[in-house]
Amino acid sequence: MYLEHLRQLSDRLVAIQKPIMILDAIKWPAQVQTEFLEGKGKALPNIDQAFYAQQALRFAPDVVREELKTLRSDICRLLGGTDGLGRILLQNIEQYLLVIDMLEGRGTKAFGVCSQALYGSATDKMRGDKKTLLELSERLCRTFSSAAAEHLKRPYGNDIPAEKAVEMLSAKLNAYFNEGDIRVQLSNGIVSDAAAGGDVIKLNERAYFSELDLQVLEVHEGWVHVGTTLNGRRQPYATWLGVGSPRITAHQEGLAVLMETLTFSSFPQRARRVSDRVVAISLAEDGADFVEVYRHFIDKGLSEHDSYRVTQRVFRGGCVEGGSVFTKDLSYIKGFVENVNFIKSAIESGVPEILPMMFVGKVTLDDLPILYERYLEGVIAAPDYLPPMFRDLNGLFVWFGFSSGMSLVNLGRVQAHYSDVFAKLPHTTPVYTTQIMTEF
């Protein structure tokens, strides 16, 4: 009877949350970018509360709110207040209730308050550490925009049109997924260059891509976002693992960035883009308006296109005058650090076998212990789609085992030792070979 109740309650949550589409509810028309750049980035975009009021939500907030509250009561009654899986269901419900409040507050200060409650603030400290997300991101921005990063930049171009990119990315992903499990298609309704939803990866029909971009999309959108969705959908009872409330965003985005790193798919300019987003959020949280944040990145050397994109991601849903912003993009850095620390801790604690559960569905790190226990009991199914390093944990264990050991080394002293050696090297321009340029 417990498993029957779990499946029924889980299915109800999946159905209730389906029309709650956050990014769709806060998206801006493409012409906003065109008008802003044609105006030399001097005038605030004409986006306010009235604009959002004209963009009707795909659900009736009061109706969905009551459905969630009724489901909350039924979970407590049927599963009890101490059941671990029931608690995860309840936490997701609380998140969706807050999402409804956030979307009702589009274009107002209330939107930013709810966003911070859901995703956090740039001033939040890292879990178990004294450093803030902003401090870490500023350090990463310096690293990924350093002379060394520029020295490594390869002269590749974004010369692959979206239609060709769809074909190439499909070929890559068909080698990882079963036939028919994933689709790559063109879209004219997304602001970013690419986005994943369910079993579909959408590429912006106006965008151009490089081969490095496609490497990132393969593991970030494919292996992680779509892979965990499909793993969650195949659960026999905990079907909510196939959908995600904001509470899982940090794990999802951090895991995606981690996979970019472990597969050597990322590159300094991509990593800087992730760090820049935290800086943009901090500036906007402190009251900088859209133009001021945009000008900050122009002054840092970003192109007009990239400066607009990083700024627009932060201000969508909030107030272009600043102070109320969308803080979801904190999740990339926050989640990356937390996932790395979780893997190290699992290895140090002698339970590396829990690590494949990171891909079991849309989860948080706090969910994994109870999900692993229920996996051992046969309630939770093992993930079907797993990256190779998580399917055979030997290499991952060694990699992070060495990483943990290296934390004992005083890096400052090591750098001081080698700085004298490196200072004597002749200054050269990067040297590339044809083989380096064509192998991906």
Side-chain angles (χ1 to χ4, degrees):
M1 185 63 70
Y2 168 81
L3 294 179
E4 182 179 334
H5 287 324
L6 180 64
R7 174 65 191 242
Q8 291 174 350
L9 294 166
S10 181
D11 285 348
R12 283 172 60 188
L13 179 59
V14 172
I16 291 171
Q17 63 79 45
K18 188 174 182 179
I20 304 177
M21 304 173 67
I22 297 175
L23 299 185
D24 180 74
I26 63 176
K27 66 183 180 183
W28 293 6
Q31 65 262 29
V32 175
Q33 177 179 351
T34 302
E35 293 170 359
F36 181 81
L37 296 181
E38 286 179 349
K40 307 301 181 184
K42 296 180 179 179
L44 293 177
N46 188 25
I47 303 289
D48 55 16
Q49 188 175 5
F51 164 81
Y52 291 112
Q54 296 174 358
Q55 316 302 315
L57 298 175
R58 300 194 179 199
F59 63 95
D62 290 341
V63 173
V64 175
R65 189 179 280 115
E66 287 306 311
E67 290 176 339
L68 287 169
K69 289 180 179 179
T70 299
L71 178 58
R72 180 173 61 189
S73 297
D74 290 344
I75 291 171
C76 293
R77 176 172 56 86
L78 295 173
L79 299 185
T82 60
D83 181 73
L85 297 180
R87 286 199 302 271
I88 296 175
L89 276 169
L90 292 173
Q91 289 167 4
N92 278 286
I93 288 174
E94 296 305 321
Q95 289 270 295
Y96 287 124
L97 288 169
L98 192 50
V99 167
I100 294 174
D101 293 342
M102 181 179 75
L103 295 182
E104 285 187 311
R106 292 174 299 172
T108 72
K109 297 296 183 184
F111 179 91
V113 173
C114 292
S115 179
Q116 288 178 334
L118 289 165
Y119 301 104
S121 166
T123 59
D124 290 347
K125 290 182 171 60
M126 301 300 301
R127 184 184 302 195
D129 196 74
K130 296 181 180 179
K131 294 286 191 303
T132 67
L133 287 168
L134 177 61
E135 289 175 312
L136 175 59
S137 296
E138 288 176 332
R139 171 66 180 271
L140 292 174
C141 283
R142 290 194 297 272
T143 299
F144 295 130
S145 60
S146 66
E150 289 300 310
H151 198 73
L152 288 171
K153 185 186 294 184
R154 303 205 186 284
Y156 65 89
N158 287 27
D159 55 0
I160 303 173
E163 187 172 355
K164 178 65 174 177
V166 166
E167 178 184 331
M168 295 172 66
L169 185 57
S170 296
K172 288 175 177 287
L173 292 171
N174 286 339
Y176 183 83
F177 292 96
N178 294 332
E179 184 177 357
D181 276 355
I182 188 172
R183 290 176 291 132
V184 184
Q185 64 186 41
L186 293 175
S187 172
N188 61 2
I190 58 175
V191 174
S192 59
D193 289 341
D199 55 3
V200 178
I201 296 177
K202 298 178 180 180
L203 301 188
N204 192 321
E205 65 180 13
R206 299 178 300 276
Y208 283 79
F209 301 86
S210 69
E211 291 200 45
L212 287 180
D213 291 331
L214 298 184
Q215 283 185 194
V216 170
L217 290 172
E218 177 186 6
V219 298
H220 185 114
E221 305 291 353
W223 292 12
V224 176
H225 292 327
V226 175
T228 54
T229 295
L230 295 178
N231 287 336
R233 286 179 178 177
R234 297 179 180 187
Q235 290 299 318
Y237 307 107
T239 55
W240 84 83
L241 291 175
V243 299
S245 66
R247 67 188 290 271
I248 62 90
T249 305
H251 174 69
Q252 274 284 299
E253 300 297 358
L255 189 59
V257 175
L258 177 59
M259 289 310 305
E260 295 177 28
T261 306
L262 291 177
T263 58
F264 295 97
S265 299
S266 195
F267 47 96
Q269 293 72 39
R270 159 69 180 168
R272 179 187 172 182
R273 194 181 312 156
V274 170
S275 305
D276 281 341
R277 294 170 184 173
V278 179
V279 175
I281 289 171
S282 177
L283 291 170
E285 283 183 323
D286 288 343
D289 66 25
F290 190 98
V291 172
E292 290 170 330
V293 175
Y294 169 79
R295 294 305 315 176
H296 169 85
F297 290 106
I298 289 290
D299 294 341
K300 291 293 183 181
L302 267 67
S303 68
E304 291 182 351
H305 174 273
D306 289 346
S307 296
Y308 175 86
R309 285 295 176 88
V310 69
T311 305
Q312 188 270 342
R313 290 177 66 101
V314 170
F315 281 90
R316 52 186 170 167
C319 302
V320 294
E321 298 83 6
S324 176
V325 296
F326 189 44
T327 58
K328 169 185 173 289
D329 280 349
L330 299 171
S331 304
Y332 296 84
I333 296 297
K334 177 182 179 181
F336 175 83
V337 173
E338 290 183 348
N339 277 300
V340 168
N341 288 339
F342 182 86
I343 294 173
K344 287 183 178 180
S345 298
I347 289 173
E348 289 288 333
S349 300
V351 287
E353 58 271 15
I354 197 175
L355 297 180
M357 301 304 290
M358 298 172 76
F359 291 85
V360 76
K362 306 301 185 184
V363 301
T364 72
L365 293 175
D366 291 335
D367 296 341
L368 296 188
I370 185 65
L371 292 174
Y372 183 63
E373 289 180 17
R374 296 297 183 267
Y375 157 71
L376 295 177
E377 296 168 1
V379 176
I380 299 295
D384 286 336
Y385 290 118
L386 268 176
M389 68 286 293
F390 282 86
R391 190 172 295 279
D392 181 348
L393 293 170
N394 283 288
L396 199 69
F397 185 97
V398 172
W399 178 277
F400 282 96
F402 273 122
S403 176
S404 296
M406 291 297 291
S407 64
L408 299 175
V409 176
N410 186 318
L411 185 58
R413 292 181 180 177
V414 173
Q415 287 178 327
H417 169 76
Y418 283 109
S419 63
D420 292 337
V421 177
F422 295 150
K424 298 175 183 178
L425 291 176
H427 292 285
T428 63
T429 57
V431 177
Y432 307 111
T433 68
T434 302
Q435 185 176 14
I436 291 176
M437 285 298 298
T438 56
E439 287 188 352
F440 289 96

Coordinates of all heavy atoms in Angstrom, one line a residue, residues 309-354:
R309 N 23.6 39.5 -23.2 CA 23.1 38.2 -22.8 C 23.3 38.0 -21.3 O 22.4 37.5 -20.6 CB 23.8 37.1 -23.6 CG 23.3 37.0 -25.0 CD 21.8 36.6 -25.1 NE 21.3 36.6 -26.4 CZ 21.3 35.6 -27.3 NH1 21.9 34.5 -26.8 NH2 20.8 35.6 -28.5
V310 N 24.5 38.3 -20.8 CA 24.7 38.0 -19.3 C 23.8 38.9 -18.5 O 23.3 38.6 -17.4 CB 26.2 38.1 -19.0 CG1 26.7 39.6 -19.0 CG2 26.4 37.6 -17.6
T311 N 23.6 40.2 -19.0 CA 22.8 41.1 -18.2 C 21.3 40.7 -18.3 O 20.6 40.7 -17.3 CB 23.0 42.5 -18.8 OG1 24.4 42.9 -18.8 CG2 22.2 43.6 -18.0
Q312 N 20.9 40.4 -19.5 CA 19.4 40.0 -19.7 C 19.0 38.8 -18.9 O 17.9 38.8 -18.3 CB 19.2 39.8 -21.2 CG 17.7 39.6 -21.5 CD 17.2 38.2 -21.5 OE1 18.1 37.3 -21.5 NE2 15.9 38.0 -21.4
R313 N 19.9 37.8 -18.7 CA 19.6 36.6 -18.0 C 19.3 37.0 -16.5 O 18.4 36.4 -15.9 CB 20.8 35.7 -18.0 CG 21.1 35.0 -19.3 CD 22.3 34.1 -19.2 NE 22.1 33.0 -18.3 CZ 21.9 31.8 -18.7 NH1 21.7 31.5 -20.0 NH2 21.7 30.8 -17.8
V314 N 19.9 38.0 -16.0 CA 19.8 38.4 -14.6 C 18.5 39.2 -14.4 O 17.8 39.1 -13.4 CB 21.0 39.2 -14.1 CG1 20.8 39.8 -12.8 CG2 22.2 38.3 -14.1
F315 N 18.2 40.1 -15.3 CA 17.1 41.0 -15.1 C 15.7 40.5 -15.6 O 14.7 41.1 -15.2 CB 17.4 42.4 -15.9 CG 18.3 43.3 -15.1 CD1 19.7 43.2 -15.3 CD2 17.8 44.2 -14.2 CE1 20.6 44.0 -14.6 CE2 18.7 45.0 -13.5 CZ 20.1 44.9 -13.7
R316 N 15.7 39.4 -16.3 CA 14.4 38.8 -16.7 C 13.5 38.5 -15.5 O 14.0 37.9 -14.6 CB 14.6 37.6 -17.6 CG 15.5 36.6 -17.0 CD 15.8 35.4 -17.9 NE 16.8 34.6 -17.4 CZ 17.1 33.4 -17.8 NH1 16.5 32.9 -18.9 NH2 18.1 32.7 -17.3
G317 N 12.3 39.0 -15.5 CA 11.4 38.7 -14.4 C 11.4 39.8 -13.3 O 10.4 40.0 -12.6
G318 N 12.5 40.5 -13.2 CA 12.7 41.4 -12.1 C 12.4 42.9 -12.6 O 11.5 43.1 -13.4
C319 N 13.2 43.8 -12.1 CA 13.1 45.2 -12.4 C 14.3 45.7 -13.1 O 15.4 45.6 -12.5 CB 12.8 46.0 -11.1 SG 11.4 45.5 -10.2
V320 N 14.2 46.3 -14.3 CA 15.4 46.7 -15.0 C 16.0 47.9 -14.3 O 17.2 48.2 -14.7 CB 15.0 47.1 -16.5 CG1 14.5 45.9 -17.3 CG2 13.9 48.2 -16.5
E321 N 15.4 48.5 -13.3 CA 16.0 49.6 -12.6 C 16.9 49.0 -11.5 O 17.7 49.8 -10.9 CB 14.9 50.4 -11.9 CG 14.0 51.1 -12.8 CD 12.8 50.2 -13.3 OE1 12.7 49.1 -12.8 OE2 12.1 50.7 -14.2
G322 N 17.0 47.7 -11.3 CA 17.9 47.1 -10.3 C 17.2 46.7 -9.0 O 16.1 47.2 -8.8
G323 N 17.8 45.9 -8.2 CA 17.3 45.6 -6.9 C 16.5 44.3 -6.8 O 16.6 43.6 -5.8
S324 N 15.7 44.0 -7.9 CA 14.9 42.8 -7.9 C 15.3 42.1 -9.2 O 15.0 42.5 -10.3 CB 13.4 43.2 -8.0 OG 12.6 42.1 -8.2
V325 N 16.0 40.9 -9.0 CA 16.6 40.2 -10.1 C 16.3 38.7 -10.0 O 15.9 38.2 -8.9 CB 18.1 40.5 -10.2 CG1 18.3 41.9 -10.5 CG2 18.8 40.1 -9.0
F326 N 16.6 38.0 -11.1 CA 16.5 36.5 -11.2 C 17.8 35.9 -10.8 O 18.8 36.1 -11.6 CB 16.1 36.2 -12.6 CG 15.7 34.7 -12.8 CD1 14.9 34.1 -11.8 CD2 16.1 34.0 -13.9 CE1 14.5 32.8 -12.0 CE2 15.7 32.7 -14.1 CZ 14.9 32.1 -13.2
T327 N 17.9 35.2 -9.7 CA 19.2 34.8 -9.2 C 19.6 33.3 -9.5 O 20.5 32.8 -8.9 CB 19.3 35.0 -7.6 OG1 18.2 34.3 -7.0 CG2 19.1 36.5 -7.3
K328 N 18.8 32.7 -10.4 CA 19.1 31.3 -10.8 C 20.5 31.1 -11.2 O 21.1 30.0 -10.9 CB 18.1 30.9 -11.9 CG 18.4 29.6 -12.5 CD 17.6 29.2 -13.7 CE 18.0 28.0 -14.4 NZ 19.3 28.2 -15.2
D329 N 21.2 32.0 -11.8 CA 22.5 31.8 -12.4 C 23.6 31.6 -11.4 O 24.7 31.4 -11.7 CB 22.8 32.8 -13.4 CG 22.2 32.6 -14.8 OD1 21.6 31.5 -15.0 OD2 22.2 33.5 -15.6
L330 N 23.2 31.8 -10.1 CA 24.2 31.5 -9.0 C 24.4 30.0 -9.0 O 25.5 29.5 -8.5 CB 23.6 31.9 -7.7 CG 23.3 33.4 -7.4 CD1 22.6 33.6 -6.1 CD2 24.6 34.2 -7.4
S331 N 23.5 29.2 -9.5 CA 23.5 27.7 -9.4 C 24.7 27.1 -10.0 O 25.1 26.0 -9.5 CB 22.2 27.2 -10.0 OG 21.1 27.8 -9.4
Y332 N 25.3 27.6 -11.0 CA 26.4 27.0 -11.7 C 27.6 26.9 -10.9 O 28.2 25.8 -10.7 CB 26.7 27.8 -13.0 CG 25.6 27.8 -14.0 CD1 24.6 28.7 -13.9 CD2 25.5 26.9 -15.1 CE1 23.5 28.7 -14.9 CE2 24.5 26.9 -16.0 CZ 23.5 27.8 -15.9 OH 22.5 27.8 -16.8
I333 N 28.0 28.0 -10.3 CA 29.2 28.0 -9.4 C 28.9 27.3 -8.1 O 29.7 26.4 -7.6 CB 29.7 29.4 -9.1 CG1 30.1 30.1 -10.4 CG2 30.8 29.4 -8.1 CD1 31.3 29.5 -11.1
K334 N 27.8 27.6 -7.5 CA 27.4 27.0 -6.2 C 27.3 25.5 -6.3 O 27.9 24.8 -5.5 CB 26.1 27.6 -5.7 CG 25.6 27.0 -4.4 CD 24.2 27.6 -4.1 CE 23.6 27.0 -2.8 NZ 22.3 27.5 -2.5
G335 N 26.6 25.1 -7.4 CA 26.5 23.6 -7.6 C 27.8 22.9 -7.9 O 28.0 21.8 -7.4
F336 N 28.6 23.5 -8.7 CA 29.9 22.9 -9.0 C 30.7 22.6 -7.7 O 31.2 21.5 -7.5 CB 30.7 23.8 -10.0 CG 32.1 23.3 -10.3 CD1 32.3 22.4 -11.3 CD2 33.2 23.7 -9.5 CE1 33.5 21.9 -11.6 CE2 34.4 23.3 -9.8 CZ 34.6 22.3 -10.8
V337 N 30.8 23.6 -6.9 CA 31.6 23.5 -5.7 C 31.0 22.4 -4.8 O 31.7 21.6 -4.2 CB 31.8 24.8 -4.9 CG1 32.4 24.7 -3.6 CG2 32.6 25.8 -5.8
E338 N 29.7 22.5 -4.6 CA 29.0 21.5 -3.7 C 29.1 20.1 -4.2 O 29.3 19.2 -3.4 CB 27.6 22.0 -3.5 CG 27.4 23.2 -2.7 CD 26.0 23.6 -2.4 OE1 25.1 23.0 -3.1 OE2 25.8 24.5 -1.6
N339 N 29.0 19.9 -5.5 CA 29.1 18.6 -6.1 C 30.5 18.0 -5.9 O 30.7 16.8 -5.6 CB 28.7 18.6 -7.6 CG 27.2 18.5 -7.8 OD1 26.6 17.5 -7.4 ND2 26.7 19.5 -8.4
V340 N 31.6 18.9 -6.2 CA 32.9 18.4 -6.0 C 33.2 18.0 -4.5 O 33.8 17.0 -4.2 CB 33.9 19.5 -6.4 CG1 35.3 19.2 -6.0 CG2 33.9 19.7 -7.9
N341 N 32.7 18.9 -3.6 CA 32.9 18.6 -2.2 C 32.1 17.3 -1.8 O 32.6 16.5 -0.9 CB 32.4 19.7 -1.3 CG 33.4 20.9 -1.4 OD1 34.5 20.8 -1.8 ND2 32.9 22.1 -1.1
F342 N 31.0 17.1 -2.4 CA 30.2 15.9 -2.1 C 31.0 14.6 -2.5 O 31.1 13.6 -1.8 CB 28.8 15.9 -2.7 CG 28.0 14.7 -2.5 CD1 27.2 14.7 -1.3 CD2 27.9 13.6 -3.3 CE1 26.4 13.6 -1.1 CE2 27.1 12.5 -3.1 CZ 26.4 12.5 -1.9
I343 N 31.5 14.7 -3.8 CA 32.3 13.5 -4.3 C 33.5 13.2 -3.4 O 33.8 12.1 -3.0 CB 32.7 13.8 -5.7 CG1 31.4 13.8 -6.6 CG2 33.6 12.7 -6.2 CD1 31.7 14.2 -8.0
K344 N 34.2 14.3 -3.1 CA 35.4 14.1 -2.2 C 35.0 13.5 -0.9 O 35.6 12.6 -0.3 CB 36.1 15.5 -2.0 CG 36.9 16.0 -3.2 CD 37.6 17.3 -2.8 CE 38.4 17.8 -3.9 NZ 39.1 19.1 -3.5
S345 N 33.9 14.0 -0.3 CA 33.5 13.5 1.0 C 33.0 12.1 1.0 O 33.3 11.3 1.9 CB 32.3 14.4 1.6 OG 32.8 15.8 1.7
A346 N 32.3 11.7 -0.1 CA 31.9 10.3 -0.3 C 33.0 9.4 -0.4 O 33.0 8.3 0.2 CB 31.0 10.2 -1.5
I347 N 34.1 9.8 -1.1 CA 35.3 9.0 -1.2 C 36.0 8.9 0.2 O 36.4 7.8 0.6 CB 36.2 9.6 -2.3 CG1 35.6 9.3 -3.7 CG2 37.6 9.0 -2.2 CD1 36.3 10.0 -4.8
E348 N 36.2 10.0 0.8 CA 36.9 10.0 2.1 C 36.1 9.2 3.2 O 36.7 8.6 4.0 CB 37.0 11.5 2.6 CG 38.0 12.3 1.8 CD 39.5 11.9 2.1 OE1 39.7 11.4 3.2 OE2 40.3 12.1 1.2
S349 N 34.8 9.2 3.0 CA 33.9 8.5 4.0 C 33.8 7.0 3.7 O 33.1 6.3 4.4 CB 32.6 9.2 4.1 OG 32.7 10.5 4.6
G350 N 34.3 6.6 2.5 CA 34.3 5.2 2.2 C 32.9 4.7 1.6 O 32.6 3.5 1.6
V351 N 32.2 5.7 1.0 CA 30.9 5.3 0.3 C 30.8 5.8 -1.1 O 29.8 6.5 -1.5 CB 29.7 5.8 1.2 CG1 29.5 5.0 2.4 CG2 29.8 7.3 1.5
P352 N 31.8 5.5 -1.9 CA 31.8 6.0 -3.3 C 30.6 5.5 -4.1 O 30.2 6.0 -5.1 CB 33.1 5.6 -3.9 CG 33.5 4.4 -3.1 CD 33.0 4.7 -1.7
E353 N 30.1 4.3 -3.6 CA 29.0 3.7 -4.4 C 27.7 4.6 -4.4 O 26.8 4.3 -5.2 CB 28.6 2.3 -3.8 CG 28.3 2.3 -2.4 CD 29.4 2.2 -1.4 OE1 30.6 2.4 -1.9 OE2 29.2 1.9 -0.2
I354 N 27.6 5.6 -3.6 CA 26.5 6.5 -3.6 C 26.5 7.5 -4.8 O 25.5 8.0 -5.2 CB 26.4 7.3 -2.3 CG1 25.0 7.9 -2.2 CG2 27.4 8.4 -2.2 CD1 24.7 8.6 -0.8

